[in-house]
Amino acid sequence: EADIYQTPRYLVIGTGKKITLECSQTMGHDKMYWYQQDPGMELHLIHYSYGVNSTEKGDLSSESTVSRIRTEHFPLTLESARPSHTSQYLCASSVEAGGSGELFFGEGSRLTVL
Amino acid sequence: DQQVKQNSPSLSVQEGRISILNCDYTNSMFDYFLWYKKYPAEGPTFLISISSIKDKNEDGRFTVFLNKSAKHLSLHIVPSQPGDSAVYFCAASDNYGQNFVFGPGTRLSVLP
């Protein structure tokens, strides 16, 4: 069973608030990812990290930012939330970026911005 | 443009019958494919994978078939069970370390 945890699971906030979605994994994986998913749509990669102090933007433009100060921790921050940020955010980690690797997902954080 | 396509948004199957979920891809560099299952309000869980050196991989009730020339793969679930009702995502990657690309998913409903 994968050991990757996301908090909060659900969050409802008002427009303009700053929020941080937490993601931690205990598998020692170097590679971590944030995906955004709307109902009926594919998972879109918004940020990824191949190791400490390494972060990159993904395929989908996002107003969020990430940091990777420790291997096990990959938080995502929205400085000023808007209704368009309402979505499910999924954190994942892997040993490999692609190839024969496998992504392990957290349970997701469902964000609603009013 | 979607590189990984799952053209059936939903599929309903009777319990005990076979479920076939399809996935097409456009990038000829993809050579590793995975299927994930997702319940509402949960993260996706890994089901089965296949490398391009194979055309079939089997794990219990789940079998994935790969047709490289057609850029098509399918997931077969036999026999289907009500607990299989979920959204199934196809994902693809290449050996050059490209991050995984996901399809939009197919919602499977297995009716008792």
Side-chain angles (χ1 to χ4, degrees), chain A residues 9-10 33 37 41-43 45 48 50 88 97-103 105-107, chain B residues 2 32 34 36 38 41-44 46 89 93-95 97-100 102-104:
Chain A
R9 292 287 312 279
Y10 302 92
Y33 313 80
Q37 194 221 353
M41 302 294 289
E42 58 263 50
L43 280 68
L45 182 66
Y48 62 98
Y50 285 174
Q88 184 177 40
S100 59
E102 173 193 333
L103 286 172
F105 283 90
E107 293 192 309
Chain B
Q2 277 188 343
Y32 183 65
L34 306 93
Y36 279 83
K38 185 180 185 297
E42 292 185 12
F46 171 76
F89 290 95
S93 180
D94 64 33
N95 260 332
Q98 180 186 346
N99 293 317
F100 292 100
F102 284 80

Side-chain angles (χ1 to χ4, degrees), chain B residues 1 8 23-24 34 42 57-58 61 79 84-85 87 90 96:
Chain B
D1 189 31
S8 297
C23 177
D24 297 288
L34 306 93
E42 292 185 12
N57 189 24
E58 195 171 350
R61 296 186 297 115
D84 296 329
S85 297
V87 177
C90 172
Y96 298 98

Side-chain angles (χ1 to χ4, degrees), chain B:
Chain B
D1 189 31
Q2 277 188 343
Q3 297 187 71
V4 178
K5 303 178 185 183
Q6 294 177 257
N7 292 323
S8 297
S10 62
L11 173 69
S12 291
V13 170
Q14 209 67 37
E15 181 179 4
R17 307 293 283 266
I18 184 171
S19 295
I20 301 176
L21 298 103
N22 294 304
C23 177
D24 297 288
Y25 60 96
T26 58
N27 188 338
S28 57
M29 300 303 292
F30 287 151
D31 57 6
Y32 183 65
F33 306 90
L34 306 93
W35 284 94
Y36 279 83
K37 173 181 178 180
K38 185 180 185 297
Y39 293 117
E42 292 185 12
T45 54
F46 171 76
L47 267 180
I48 193 168
S49 64
I50 189 165
S51 165
S52 60
I53 61 173
K54 293 184 172 183
D55 55 17
K56 176 183 173 181
N57 189 24
E58 195 171 350
D59 184 1
R61 296 186 297 115
F62 302 92
T63 303
V64 56
F65 295 91
L66 175 62
N67 183 333
K68 283 182 63 180
S69 60
K71 295 191 182 70
H72 176 83
L73 62 155
S74 61
L75 175 68
H76 293 211
I77 307 173
V78 183
S80 301
Q81 299 172 353
D84 296 329
S85 297
V87 177
Y88 289 78
F89 290 95
C90 172
S93 180
D94 64 33
N95 260 332
Y96 298 98
Q98 180 186 346
N99 293 317
F100 292 100
V101 178
F102 284 80
T106 295
R107 180 176 300 280
L108 172 66
S109 298
V110 179
L111 309 172

Side-chain angles (χ1 to χ4, degrees), chain A residues 36-102:
Chain A
Q36 184 174 342
Q37 194 221 353
D38 295 316
M41 302 294 289
E42 58 263 50
L43 280 68
H44 287 289
L45 182 66
I46 52 175
H47 297 283
Y48 62 98
S49 167
Y50 285 174
V52 171
N53 294 326
S54 154
T55 62
E56 301 286 345
K57 288 189 179 294
D59 306 322
L60 182 69
S61 173
S62 173
E63 293 164 344
S64 57
T65 59
V66 292
S67 62
R68 190 88 183 276
I69 298 171
R70 304 197 314 267
T71 298
E72 61 271 21
H73 195 212
F74 191 41
L76 180 144
T77 298
L78 276 166
E79 290 293 333
S80 179
R82 295 205 300 269
S84 60
H85 296 139
T86 295
S87 189
Q88 184 177 40
Y89 293 84
L90 294 160
C91 181
S93 72
S94 70
V95 174
E96 301 292 334
S100 59
E102 173 193 333

